[in-house]
Amino acid sequence: MQANIQLDDTDARILTALSADSRRSYADVAAEVGLSTAAVHERVKKMLERGVIERFSLRVDPERVGLHFTAFVAIRNDGGAHCRDIAPRLRELPEVLELHSVAGEYDFLAKVRTTHARGLEDVLYQIKAIPGVARTTSTVVLNTEFEERPLRWPGSAPAA
Amino acid sequence: MQANIQLDDTDARILTALSADSRRSYADVAAEVGLSTAAVHERVKKMLERGVIERFSLRVDPERVGLHFTAFVAIRNDGGAHCRDIAPRLRELPEVLELHSVAGEYDFLAKVRTTHARGLEDVLYQIKAIPGVARTTSTVVLNTEFEERPLRWPGSAPAA
DNA sequence: TGTGAAAACCTACTACA
DNA sequence: TGTAGTAGGTTTTCACA
């Protein structure tokens, strides 16, 4: 809930550089942003402490590990006492990669990935078995055009 | 379109380790998976070559950089000649973080992030100005429960 | 916040099973 | 694919501006 109060242009450039390749050496990044290695190190450390950088990660191609099927599942709850418990239960399902509570006709929107269409059926059975889940509607993804883009925010530089 | 034919359990454990912290040293990962540093290096190199690992990246907390508003925008095209050109145009908008072509009532589903609700209005104007876009429906995210989980696939180990 | 310098550590390669 | 060895690069921590 904190804004980018203490993120200057240099921080933004470091984030841009490391978003594209987080294993780049700080020496290399330092040369690009015009700072010493130690200074880049210090800034990264502070961004980790402040939670701006959540973690260093890597992007795996879902197709190459056999996850050929993607769907968005909208979930409606029944308005009963179990509503608060639905999200934790959905977190237990590894196929649910992403979960948002949303406004509108449905209460949650989940991104689900499985090896094939048949796998979604299994996941839907599990979701429907969660107490408080009233109904679901699935939207099948035909093709993912792009995903997990490096973030851009007011004040951040476009990726080179 | 290639499956996980050549991904064994050791590869999976290396991916799990580096998903949680991609700047961990290969020496450290090697100790964890019970291999030499050089062997881990070789395996990572091959996974990069095969495209299993797309890139080393980092996860920035959207809230901490001022992106307080998220919505999913469903987009319908008009069935005309411009339909093929819509995705590239959407890619030009930095607020569109993710784009999927989908089956059903709408043709695309986009994840959009802006600093505040007002920002979505601007993005919607830009989307509606794209030739071939017939209409949009937005679903406002109230809270992101979780996102960008490390992938799990049949044969991969659960994160420790 | 920044810098340069230095010790500890890691990477990335080669030779070889 | 794997291991060990190693030269050269990188990280991380200083004292200090």
Side-chain angles (χ1 to χ4, degrees):
Chain A
M1 282 300 168
Q2 214 169 301
N4 49 341
I5 295 162
Q6 294 160 32
L7 266 195
D8 64 10
D9 184 59
T10 305
D11 285 327
R13 291 173 68 197
I14 292 170
L15 287 181
T16 301
L18 292 176
S19 293
D21 178 6
S22 63
R23 276 192 85 93
R24 266 182 84 178
S25 75
Y26 291 161
D28 198 5
V29 175
E32 188 176 303
V33 304
L35 230 56
S36 68
T37 306
V40 169
H41 187 262
E42 186 62 22
R43 278 171 175 264
V44 169
K45 197 175 136 199
K46 281 184 183 152
M47 287 193 279
L48 280 164
E49 280 163 7
R50 279 189 271 151
V52 172
I53 297 174
E54 262 174 40
R55 63 191 167 98
F56 292 104
S57 170
L58 57 77
R59 160 106 183 132
V60 171
D61 183 339
E63 293 284 347
R64 304 285 167 122
V65 295
L67 295 172
H68 300 293
F69 188 84
T70 305
F72 284 88
V73 179
I75 300 163
R76 192 187 291 170
N77 70 45
D78 60 15
H82 292 296
C83 295
R84 289 255 163 211
D85 307 324
I86 294 175
R89 293 292 305 276
L90 288 166
R91 193 189 284 267
E92 288 167 17
L93 305 177
E95 294 87 353
V96 177
L97 298 182
E98 202 171 310
L99 182 68
H100 308 268
S101 124
V102 295
E105 210 181 334
Y106 288 85
D107 301 289
F108 293 101
L109 186 60
K111 179 156 87 179
V112 172
R113 275 207 157 109
T114 56
T115 54
H116 45 258
R118 172 61 216 291
L120 178 62
E121 190 184 28
D122 295 340
V123 173
L124 288 177
Y125 276 129
Q126 293 184 267
I127 291 175
K128 285 167 181 166
I130 296 172
V133 168
R135 58 166 301 205
T136 67
T137 304
S138 301
T139 300
V140 172
V141 170
L142 302 173
N143 180 37
T144 292
E145 305 282 346
F146 55 88
E147 192 174 42
E148 282 184 34
R149 274 186 144 178
L151 284 191
R152 288 274 306 280
W153 62 94
S156 73
Chain B
M1 283 301 166
Q2 214 169 299
N4 50 341
I5 296 162
Q6 296 162 31
L7 266 196
D8 64 13
D9 183 59
T10 304
D11 285 327
R13 290 175 66 197
I14 292 170
L15 287 181
T16 301
L18 292 176
S19 292
D21 179 5
S22 63
R23 277 193 84 93
R24 267 181 83 176
S25 74
Y26 292 162
D28 200 6
V29 174
E32 187 178 304
V33 304
L35 230 58
S36 68
T37 306
V40 170
H41 188 265
E42 185 64 22
R43 278 169 177 265
V44 169
K45 196 174 137 198
K46 281 184 182 152
M47 287 193 278
L48 280 165
E49 280 163 5
R50 279 187 270 151
V52 172
I53 298 174
E54 261 175 39
R55 64 192 167 96
F56 294 104
S57 71
L58 57 78
R59 161 106 180 130
V60 171
D61 183 338
E63 292 285 347
R64 305 284 168 122
V65 295
L67 295 171
H68 301 292
F69 189 83
T70 306
F72 284 87
V73 179
I75 300 163
R76 190 187 292 170
N77 70 45
D78 62 12
H82 291 295
C83 295
R84 288 255 164 214
D85 307 324
I86 293 175
R89 292 291 304 276
L90 288 166
R91 194 188 285 264
E92 288 167 18
L93 305 177
E95 294 88 354
V96 177
L97 299 182
E98 202 171 309
L99 183 68
H100 307 268
S101 125
V102 295
E105 209 182 335
Y106 289 85
D107 300 290
F108 293 102
L109 186 60
K111 179 156 84 178
V112 172
R113 273 204 160 112
T114 57
T115 53
H116 46 256
R118 172 61 216 290
L120 178 62
E121 190 184 28
D122 295 338
V123 173
L124 288 177
Y125 275 128
Q126 293 185 269
I127 292 175
K128 286 167 180 166
I130 296 172
V133 168
R135 60 165 299 200
T136 66
T137 302
S138 301
T139 300
V140 171
V141 170
L142 302 172
N143 181 38
T144 293
E145 305 280 349
F146 55 87
E147 190 174 46
E148 283 186 31
R149 275 188 143 176
L151 284 189
R152 287 275 306 280
W153 62 94
S156 75

